[in-house]
Structures are given as C-alpha cells and as structure tokens.
Amino acid sequence: MSEPVLTVTELRVGAGGRAVVVEDVSFELAAGEALGIVGESGSGKTTVAQALLGYARTGLRIISGSVRVAGEEILDRSERELRSRRGRLVSYVPQDPGTALNPSIRVGNHVREVLKAHSLDRQTDGRVRAVLERVELPSDASFQRRFPHQLSGGQQQRLAIALALVCDPPLVVLDEPTTGLDVVTQSRILDEISRLQRESSVALVYVSHDLAVVSSIADRVAVMYAGRIVEEGPTKTIVTAPRHPYSAGLIVSVPDHVEPRQLIGIPGVAVGVADRPAGCAFAARCDLCIPACEDAMPKLARVGEHHFVRCIRWQSTQLPEVEPRRDEATAPGSEALLSVEALQAVHHTRHGTVVAAEGISFAVDAGACVALVGESGSGKTTIARCIVGLHPPSDGRILVDGRRLAPLARQRSREERRTVQIVFQNPYDSLNPRRTVEDAISWPARSLRGLGAREARTEVATMLERVRLPAGTARRYPGELSGGERQRVAIARALAARPKLLVCDEVTSALDVSIQAAVLDLLAELRRDLRLSLLFISHDLGVVASVADRVLVLELGLICEEGAVRSVLSSPQSAYTARLVEAAPSISAPQLLHDATRV
Amino acid sequence: MSAISVGRTLERRLAFTRSWLVRIGLVVLAFVLGVAFIGPYFAPYSPSVIPGIPFSPPSGTYWLGNDYLGEDVFSRVLSGGRTVILYGALATLLAYLVGGPIGLLAGYARSRVDGVLMRAMDVLLAFPPILFLLVVATGAGANIYALVIAIAIIHIPSIARILRAATMEISVRGYVEAAAARGDRTHVILRREILPNMWGPIVADGGPRFTVSILLVAAVNFLGLGVAPPTADWALMISENRAGITINAWSVVAPALMIALLTVSINLIADAIASGLGKSVDVEALRR
C-alpha cells in the first residue's frame, strides 16, 4: 500500500466533562479507496466525519488524536488555517443539500465562491463549466443563473458534490449524501460517486446508516457502535462473515427485496453517551456476552488480513442463519375488509388543483398485508389519509366491511372509526409530549370503545405487554422514550381501539435498522395473533418484501402495477417498477451496482 | 391504588420545586403575598394619616421615612399590595380566559373562522391602549372594575395571536392528526391535545403580561381614573412620590422593589413550570 491519503490516530471527541462521544478511532485510507462508516443513530459516525475536517459541532470538542490528510495535520489548527485546508485538502458533502446550499446564491456563483476562497480564480468560467459537467449537470449560462430551490433534490446533491470536487482535494467526506433522496435518484448519485472516484483517484469516506448503500460503494467498511469502531474490514468480509456480534445483528436486520428474508432485530436499545459501561458497550444486547465482556473494553484486534474486530468472543460469532421469509397464509376466500374503488384525491394549492391520486382501486382481505409503494409525491400518503378520514376524496368510494365510509372521520360512526386505525411515520411527533403513555393509550379505548377509566387502565397494561414494553412505561412521557419505544406506544395506542385494519404510514422510516426489524416483527406477530389487516405504506422495497403479501406500485398518483409481492419484485412488468427494483440497494446483491460501474 | 396514584400525581406536580431558583422564587412570592395580604394588619400607622414631614428620610419612628404628604411609607407599603396584585391578576386572568379560546380556535380551525376572529382582533389592536383606557374611563367613570375589563381587552388580541401561532404549529403534529383520525370533537382536541402544549407559551408570556397589567393599573391610577389617593397602592406610590426620589428615595424604591420582587418571583416559577412539563418524576429521580 502506498502512503495513505488519510491517517486517523486515536481520535477522541467529547463534550466538557466525562461525556466522550467518540473514542479510540484510528484508520487509514489510500488514494482511490472508499471507506464506509456505518452505524446507527448516536454511534458517533457523523462526529467522526466532521472531525476529519477539524470540526466539532457546538457543545463538542476534539480532545485528542491526529487526523493527517496527504501528510498535513488537520487538528490543532486555528480556524483560519483550517479554512484554507478545507476544500483544498478535504471537503465535505452534507446530508441535506437543500439546507447546505445558500438559497440566495446562484448555481454558478456557488462554484465561483469556492474558487475565490482558495484564490483559484484563473480561467474561472471554464473551470465552473468543467466542474458542473463533471457531475453531469447542465453547464450553460441559464443553468448557472438558477437558484438552488429551482433544482431537484438530485441536482442539489450533484451541485454539493461538485462544490466538494472543485479544488480536487485528495479526500472527500460524504455524510449520508443520499438519505432523503428517492431510490432512483439515490442510485444515480451513487453511480456518479463511484465514477468520479474511479476517474480521479480521490479517497472517499462515506458515512451512512444504510448498510446496503454502503456495501454497494465502499471497498472497506468500519462499523461504529457507541463511539468506537467495533469492526473494520473489506466490505465483502463484513457483509458475509462479520466477526462482531453487532455487525452480524446489523446485517441480518437489513431488509432485502432481492432475497426477502425473515428479519432478526437486535434486542434492546443503544446505550446513551452518559451510560456507556466500562466494558464492551454492546454487552447488554449481546447473546455471546460472558462476564469478562463487562470487565474491560476489548481492543480492536486483528483477526484476518485487513480485518479488525473489537470483541473477545469473535471466534464464536456467526452470522445468524437468514431464513427466507415465511409466508403468512391468508385464509382463502376471506372477505375483503377494505375496498377502495376508483378513488381520486386532489390537493388545493395557491396555484390551482393538483391531482395526488386517481383511479385507485384495491382491496385488503381480513388478515392480509397490502403494501403501497412509491417515491415521494406518488400519492401513497394521501391515499392513506383518505382511508382514515383525514383527507376528503374528491371521487370514488371507500368501503369497510361492505359499508361505505363518509369522507371525514368525524362524519363516520364510532364503530367505523374504531375499525380503522393509523400509525404515523414520525414517532417523534405522533405522541403528545404532554400526555403520559397511559393517557395516550387509554384514550382511544375510552372514546372509541366506551370503556370506563378502570377498564381502560387494565387495557393499557394489556396493550403494553402486546407491544413488548415494560409495564412501567405507562407512567412515562414520550420525551423519555427512544424512537423505537415511541413507535411501539403509537402502535399500542392504535391497537387499544381494537381495530381490524391498521394503516401503517412509513412506520419504520425514522427508525434504525435493528429497531426497524423488531417493529416489523411485532407487526407480523400482531397480524398472526389478532388477524389484523395491514395497509403498509413505504418507499422501501426491502421492507415491503419482508412484510407484505400484495403490493401496489404507485407512480405519480396512478397504480402502475399490482400483484403478489414476490412476483412484482422478481419480475416487474411495468418499466417504472423495474426501475425502482433495480435502483433499490440490496445487501444480498450489492455487487450489482458496484460491478456495473466498475467494469 | 388510588391513594398511591394521588400521591404520585402530587409528587409529579411538585417536582418542579426541586430547583434552587424555584425555591427562591417561591419564598420571595410568599413574602410579597404575605406583605400584601397580611401586612395591612401590622401597619404601625393608618396608611392615610399624615403623622410626619413630607419626604423625611427613614428614622426609628418611620422606618422607611415619609412620602409626599408626610404619610408613613412603611405602613403604606404594607397596605398597598392588595389592589395592585388583585387588579393586575384579575385583568390578566380575564384576558387569558377570553383571548386563549379565541387563539386556539383560530389556530386550529384556520379557514373562515380564523379570518373572522383575527380581523376582529386586528380591530382591537388598532386602539392605542392608554387612549382606550381613557375612553372607557370617561364612559364608565372612575370604576376600577370597568378599567380592569378594559385592561383585559387590551391584552386579548396579542394573547390570541400568540396562542394562534403556537396552535398552528401544534395542529400539524402527528398526535393532533391521530386525534382527528379518531374523530375526536374539536373541543376535545383543543382540550386534550393542544391546550397541554400551550402551557409553555402561556406561562412564559403570562409573567411579563402580569407585569404589564400592573403597570397599566398604575398608569390608570396615576391619571386619577382608577384607585384614587389617598388609598395606598404600590403603583400609585411610585407615581405620587417620584418628585421626591432624591430626598427620600425609599418612598419610591420600596414600592418599586415590591413590584419587582413580585414579577421576578412569578417569572422564576413560571419558567420552571414550563420547563418541567412533559417529564415524569421517576426519571428526574434517577438523574440525581
């Protein structure tokens, strides 16, 4: 290996006092190499990414360690010295280009600003054009005169990447650059990034929570947990033969649409910064934990060529057997619980009427799980809102148990409202922060089922047990719960009405994968035990493949394909579905994208 | 079971008293209220007899000296709190009782209801406050209750605006949507889902607003339209003695200090209640 482009040694970042957010992080990166840093929320991955630019977010500071890029030390520099090195030595592509680009600066001037900041203003215009062309953006004058809000999300991210490349830095740090983009756009951006990397031999650090995405782009992967790297190695080794129990758990909890599988979640939640133990931080959630694990923090030990693991029991670690997905058989000939007939929904905006969904017809049988899939703007959430009575449809009918539902919830009978319940996408705002969990769960039981206060309290205990939360949760406020716990409470609240149909609107998209797997598992169990029907709305084909029987693919408010999950995902009929399936990252077939762009 | 849960509720309600700032606030508030409501019975002189020389400095007989007429400042401080606190609190409370529901309804209902309510508020906002008070006083005479209502009316538009903005922010949240999807009635949603989230803004805004009410009562009294001399009243004392501040500063400083202590202690407590909302006792206990 030649002289590494990036050498990180013993990086330690923390807040004042004892709270250390990132500790003992060391790695190297050669020119033209891509390192993926994977971790769940709170693992410290973004803190590491930012430290590579000598930056620590407000409240944190880089305590010790060294970050050398192309032989130059980045840490221990004044803000002025850093400024001249950022962009030239190392540049950063942030998660949300919509907020990272200045809305009042035109596209061309964004590029010029960077050139000016590094006094590279010779032949500026040619250079601006060249850099835009490099990321396959239009380079003509009219495009350069546009403002960021006039670009699509994908174009904004391309521009952000262009800005990172202007000065040809040897190292680019990408922090979740495709999170929040549609899968098709995401796959194009990923293609773009690997092409640029091949062409210019730039070294990449790619930070993401999404193991499937990382495995498609990175040569090596570092898995972070509780502020430390727990495993580092070649991508293939990490994905197929991980040696740290956490990496293994992470891999089997990633849903996959190429090989739909039974997801296995990791029990428990990640430890907070203040509660990190003296021993292995993962011990409390680990099956292989022995007393020695809790005594001291294991060292990151070499276990193979370029493969390092921070676990004393790495020899016993095995990737759990991934079972193909079990099919939840729906009793044949069962009546349709929900039927939607020729539904049309519109949004009224200042600029007129926008049709969000049109000619939507489908049925959900008792005990079945039907998924609505589509990118943002495909109308899937609007359809869900019509069904629960939050958005009056402009045409068509919605029937539950053969009875037609009124357009708005408050015009429906109590029984009808009880039958259909919804769980929302964002568990951080779907629970009232000022009401205890008990209050939140007992209210639907009282208002929709007419239970008395005492009966409702018993019901709360039953529901908490149902969603596998400890009974003590009842007295807690939502602010004291983790995202996964909150989503369970939201599910319990919906279940307290004893519904027949649960509408799940992107219920796992705000959760970490290991938590997502557990929530999906819970939903499957509820389906089995309570014969609950699910209408599952998602943009994630992997998730859909793991839970649904039937799937409807929506494109711009129209159903473009419908059928059994397996056949739609394995042999899509419509061009749009085929594009989605191809673009969706997959951990079982990560080489698809990699090879296509590498060869 | 119920005894335990009552105890727990009480414990949760009182959890905010754990901070030292709040304890100070509570002690100061108790002191000010004590002076205002029990003080009059301990006043050495009647607040309206003139025993001394105007603006005499503090002495063994007159602990805080004498005021512009020669009345005992100490006795008047002991007797002058009741009116300020009562009328200020009454006006503020009244303003919230009317302005609060208007703001909640306008913010949640949007559409036409919002338009009608907010334009009505704009009309009220168009009156200059003091002029409005003068007009009311001219019509109703020196009737303090009419003036309390007038002060409340002055507060209503801004309370409605603040709570409308806060409600609009809350009403797009998932839990409000969830309630709407359950078919909960509007008044149930306002009471269960939105109002509990309003305590933060209400408490934060209420402290300073109470202060403004006191100052408006003082302004009215100063103009001789509300509580008239020789009644002892902290606000009135500040205005009537301002000429003698260089001779006997205590005649102004003592009542001003009482008003300041009152508002500071209320704001300390208000802030603590606001930041303690949405926390159960167990976790607080764990943290210590």
Side-chain angles (χ1 to χ4, degrees):
Chain A
M1 205 195 263
S2 57
E3 177 70 8
V5 167
L6 169 68
T7 314
V8 178
T9 333
E10 296 284 322
L11 183 66
R12 190 181 160 99
V13 185
R18 291 187 303 129
V20 178
V21 176
V22 162
E23 200 163 358
D24 193 10
V25 167
S26 308
F27 56 86
E28 285 186 354
L29 195 59
E33 212 186 358
L35 172 74
I37 300 184
V38 179
E40 298 187 288
S41 40
S43 63
K45 56 186 190 303
T46 294
T47 309
V48 169
Q50 293 176 339
L52 300 183
L53 288 96
Y55 176 82
R57 68 173 179 276
T58 314
L60 294 186
R61 68 189 181 85
I62 299 170
I63 299 169
S64 60
S66 139
V67 172
R68 295 178 79 83
V69 180
E72 272 196 65
E73 178 61 50
I74 295 290
L75 306 183
D76 291 329
R77 296 256 179 207
S78 71
E79 194 56 29
R80 233 185 94 196
E81 290 173 309
L82 272 176
R83 217 174 290 152
S84 75
R85 280 165 181 78
R86 291 180 186 150
R88 185 168 58 79
L89 273 182
V90 48
S91 59
Y92 185 72
V93 178
Q95 174 168 355
D96 184 1
T99 55
L101 300 171
N102 187 331
S104 63
I105 297 181
R106 295 173 198 274
V107 170
N109 290 342
H110 265 107
V111 182
R112 282 188 199 93
E113 287 272 311
V114 180
L115 288 171
K116 213 187 290 171
H118 293 279
S119 354
L120 293 167
D121 48 357
R122 278 155 295 159
Q123 335 119 14
T124 300
D125 286 342
R127 197 150 177 174
V128 171
R129 264 201 304 282
V131 79
L132 289 176
E133 275 161 17
R134 210 165 144 200
V135 293
E136 295 184 344
L137 281 173
S139 60
D140 55 281
S142 78
F143 186 81
Q144 289 196 26
R145 288 188 52 77
R146 288 210 207 161
F147 286 104
H149 73 268
Q150 294 167 312
L151 309 183
S152 70
Q155 285 177 324
Q156 289 178 345
Q157 195 55 277
R158 274 163 206 270
L159 178 58
I161 294 171
L163 296 177
L165 294 173
V166 175
C167 305
D168 282 315
L171 173 69
V172 176
V173 179
L174 300 111
D175 189 3
E176 304 256 13
T178 62
T179 309
L181 297 177
D182 285 325
V183 275
V184 175
T185 320
Q186 162 171 293
S187 115
R188 290 208 193 110
I189 296 281
L190 290 176
D191 275 350
E192 194 70 40
I193 292 170
S194 9
R195 187 180 59 78
L196 290 166
Q197 189 203 358
R198 245 176 311 132
E199 286 174 0
S200 60
S201 81
V202 59
L204 297 183
V205 171
Y206 192 104
V207 176
S208 178
H209 69 283
D210 192 332
L211 198 52
V213 165
V214 167
S215 63
S216 74
I217 199 155
D219 306 301
R220 284 191 298 137
V221 172
V223 180
M224 287 194 69
Y225 187 79
R228 285 182 162 89
I229 291 178
V230 294
E231 182 161 11
E232 191 205 322
T235 306
K236 194 148 187 232
T237 315
I238 299 285
V239 172
T240 56
R243 284 301 180 186
H244 195 282
Y246 175 68
S247 326
L250 207 54
I251 285 158
V252 293
S253 59
V254 175
D256 191 89
H257 67 284
V258 180
E259 290 169 9
R261 34 156 96 164
Q262 208 62 40
L263 301 178
I264 308 167
I266 304 176
V269 291
V271 288
V273 172
D275 311 322
R276 287 182 186 159
C280 173
F282 189 64
R285 301 171 76 188
C286 185
D287 291 338
L288 298 173
C289 176
I290 53 171
C293 292
E294 291 172 351
D295 292 344
M297 174 61 70
K299 296 259 176 299
L300 192 64
R302 197 183 133 108
V303 300
E305 205 188 344
H306 307 305
H307 190 184
F308 304 87
V309 176
R310 191 188 291 279
C311 178
I312 52 174
R313 305 215 58 204
W314 63 273
Q315 278 159 317
S316 316
T317 308
Q318 278 186 332
L319 199 59
E321 201 59 41
V322 181
E323 288 174 53
R325 191 191 146 198
R326 288 190 293 269
D327 279 308
E328 324 284 338
T330 316
S334 52
E335 289 280 291
L337 174 69
L338 167 81
S339 16
V340 174
E341 295 171 3
L343 183 80
Q344 189 198 47
V346 298
H347 289 296
H348 299 284
T349 68
R350 238 177 294 162
H351 310 290
T353 316
V354 179
V355 178
E358 194 164 18
I360 305 294
S361 300
F362 63 93
V364 181
D365 293 345
C369 176
V370 173
L372 289 181
V373 173
E375 298 182 277
S376 47
S378 62
K380 53 191 194 304
T381 292
T382 308
I383 296 171
R385 292 170 60 85
C386 288
I387 291 166
V388 297
L390 284 172
H391 187 106
S394 50
D395 199 13
R397 308 199 303 164
I398 298 167
L399 297 99
V400 167
D401 274 336
R403 274 199 314 266
R404 184 172 180 177
L405 294 184
L408 284 175
R410 70 180 122 86
Q411 301 156 337
R412 296 178 182 173
S413 74
R414 191 166 91 169
E415 186 58 22
E416 287 166 344
R417 283 183 271 134
R418 188 184 68 74
T419 313
V420 182
Q421 291 291 312
I422 185 166
V423 180
F424 291 98
Q425 170 172 11
N426 186 350
Y428 295 94
D429 92 0
S430 66
L431 298 173
N432 192 334
R434 296 289 151 78
R435 299 223 160 249
T436 58
V437 168
E438 176 170 61
D439 201 352
I441 300 177
S442 64
W443 178 247
R446 298 176 66 175
S447 70
L448 296 176
R449 287 165 58 201
L451 295 190
R454 186 175 297 247
E455 294 164 300
R457 229 188 336 260
T458 330
E459 189 70 5
V460 171
T462 318
M463 288 304 145
L464 285 176
E465 205 180 319
R466 187 87 255 177
V467 297
R468 293 191 232 123
L469 284 173
T473 315
R475 292 199 314 272
R476 294 290 176 85
Y477 283 92
E480 298 159 354
L481 305 177
S482 71
E485 289 171 326
R486 289 183 202 203
Q487 202 58 298
R488 283 167 195 272
V489 172
I491 293 171
R493 179 178 64 182
L495 290 180
R498 293 280 159 96
K500 294 181 186 165
L501 174 71
L502 197 59
V503 179
C504 302
D505 185 5
E506 299 264 17
V507 286
T508 59
S509 64
L511 305 177
D512 282 322
V513 275
S514 67
I515 308 296
Q516 161 173 289
V519 169
L520 293 178
D521 189 41
L522 170 68
L523 288 173
E525 179 190 304
L526 294 172
R527 234 183 107 191
R528 268 196 315 275
D529 296 359
L530 308 175
R531 253 185 93 67
L532 195 64
S533 307
L534 299 180
L535 179 61
F536 198 88
I537 288 149
S538 179
H539 69 284
D540 187 329
L541 293 181
V543 169
V544 167
S546 321
V547 295
D549 314 319
R550 291 182 66 74
V551 61
L552 284 90
V553 183
L554 289 165
E555 182 186 13
L556 300 173
L558 300 169
I559 296 179
C560 73
E561 184 158 359
E562 182 184 358
V565 159
R566 236 153 244 232
S567 60
V568 168
L569 295 183
S570 57
S571 52
Q573 298 303 305
S574 87
Y576 178 74
T577 315
R579 232 177 22 243
L580 280 186
V581 170
E582 198 189 332
S586 156
I587 194 163
S588 69
Q591 271 69 35
L592 284 181
L593 177 86
H594 219 64
D595 293 347
T597 53
R598 287 258 151 146
V599 175
Chain B
M1 168 77 206
S2 73
I4 294 169
S5 89
V6 165
R8 207 170 268 148
T9 314
L10 190 67
E11 200 184 333
R12 185 183 301 159
R13 290 269 146 82
L14 293 178
F16 73 94
T17 60
R18 292 215 171 115
S19 137
W20 277 109
L21 275 179
V22 177
R23 290 182 185 173
I24 293 170
L26 284 171
V27 169
V28 172
L29 182 66
F31 166 73
V32 176
L33 292 181
V35 167
F37 292 95
I38 309 171
Y41 304 107
F42 295 92
Y45 297 91
S46 159
S48 49
V49 296
I50 305 176
I53 301 152
F55 292 129
S56 319
S59 64
T61 341
Y62 310 115
W63 292 355
L64 293 173
N66 302 77
D67 71 358
Y68 75 120
L69 292 177
E71 296 159 326
D72 178 30
V73 172
F74 182 64
S75 301
R76 284 177 72 81
V77 166
L78 286 181
S79 316
R82 232 181 332 195
T83 45
V84 173
I85 294 172
L86 278 183
Y87 297 135
L90 202 60
T92 314
L93 197 67
L94 202 62
Y96 275 104
L97 285 179
V98 181
I102 292 177
L104 290 186
L105 199 60
Y108 180 69
R110 313 258 173 108
S111 66
R112 209 163 298 164
V113 182
D114 181 22
V116 171
L117 287 175
M118 290 331 282
R119 290 306 79 74
M121 292 299 105
D122 289 347
V123 171
L124 283 183
L125 212 51
F127 289 109
I130 295 294
L131 198 64
F132 181 69
L133 285 180
L134 287 178
V135 171
V136 170
T138 318
N143 178 347
I144 188 68
Y145 290 101
L147 289 165
V148 164
I149 292 172
I151 291 171
I153 291 175
I154 290 170
H155 283 307
I156 286 172
S158 53
I159 290 177
R161 283 199 162 272
I162 288 172
L163 293 187
R164 171 176 171 269
T167 304
M168 284 172 81
E169 196 190 312
I170 298 292
S171 59
V172 297
R173 297 291 171 86
Y175 49 88
V176 181
E177 297 251 272
R182 277 197 303 266
D184 288 353
R185 303 267 139 202
T186 302
H187 69 91
V188 175
I189 295 180
L190 291 180
R191 199 186 65 234
R192 269 190 62 88
E193 313 293 345
I194 295 180
L195 188 60
N197 289 290
M198 291 295 120
W199 291 121
I202 288 178
V203 171
D205 169 68
R209 201 171 282 285
F210 179 44
T211 318
V212 171
S213 297
I214 289 174
L215 296 181
L216 279 176
V217 174
V220 167
N221 291 349
F222 175 67
L223 294 172
L225 298 171
V227 179
T231 314
D233 177 284
W234 291 340
L236 198 58
M237 286 169 70
I238 298 172
S239 58
E240 48 191 29
N241 294 326
R242 70 195 192 290
I245 192 164
T246 47
I247 314 164
N248 179 14
W250 286 107
S251 61
V252 175
V253 170
L257 195 65
M258 293 309 284
I259 292 180
L261 286 178
L262 176 66
T263 55
V264 167
S265 63
I266 283 176
N267 287 323
L268 276 180
I269 296 164
D271 287 350
I273 295 175
S275 67
L277 293 172
K279 286 191 191 127
S280 67
V281 161
D282 307 13
V283 176
E284 286 286 313
L286 281 175
R287 283 215 183 101
R288 287 188 303 155

